[in-house]
Amino acid sequence: AQAQAQAQTHAVCRQIDYYFSEENLSHDTYLKSKMDRDGYVPLTEIAQFNRVKALTTQLSTLVTAVQLSQALDVLDLDGECKIRARRSSSPRQEEPPVMGVLDRAEA
């Protein structure tokens, strides 16, 4: 059961990462319309997306999933969780910035 829950959480993470990918955001006017001026969207809004609802209806699973993501900034204000695409200028506060991410051997 725990392995299934973990797989579900990772599937949710991948789906939300996709929503906030440059590939999707370049044409997803609905998601962009839900963003505040800093690019954040309430997680409760993402919870209403059909593909997310097909994976889980548990807000706690969504919170865990977005915290796993390396592609999202997560903001928790008075219990309201908001997320946005990770910006290169805003590393997560609990993690030191990673140097050399842009150095790719397969260029």
Side-chain angles (χ1 to χ4, degrees):
Q2 187 177 1
Q4 186 178 0
Q6 222 173 7
Q8 178 190 38
T9 301
H10 285 284
V12 171
C13 181
R14 283 191 304 274
Q15 183 63 48
I16 297 173
D17 279 354
Y18 171 74
Y19 287 143
F20 285 86
S21 68
E22 285 185 38
E23 174 189 355
N24 185 62
L25 282 177
S26 67
H27 60 81
D28 191 335
T29 53
Y30 179 77
L31 181 57
K32 287 193 276 192
S33 77
K34 297 297 180 182
M35 293 179 173
D36 66 15
R37 62 184 173 83
D38 294 319
Y40 284 99
V41 177
L43 193 57
T44 52
E45 188 69 44
I46 302 301
Q48 300 307 309
F49 287 24
N50 288 334
R51 289 192 179 173
V52 172
K53 286 195 294 190
L55 294 168
T56 186
T57 57
Q58 299 293 316
L59 195 57
S60 59
T61 301
L62 292 178
V63 170
T64 302
V66 298
Q67 288 171 341
L68 287 173
S69 175
Q70 298 298 306
L72 300 171
D73 285 331
V74 181
L75 185 64
D76 191 346
L77 293 174
D78 300 323
E80 183 187 16
C81 187
K82 294 182 173 187
I83 59 175
R84 73 175 178 193
R86 168 88 30 100
R87 296 180 177 174
S88 57
S89 61
S90 60
R92 287 205 175 170
Q93 284 132 357
E94 70 268 21
E95 298 173 8
V98 178
M99 300 300 170
V101 172
L102 298 176
D103 301 331
R104 300 216 172 151
E106 69 270 12

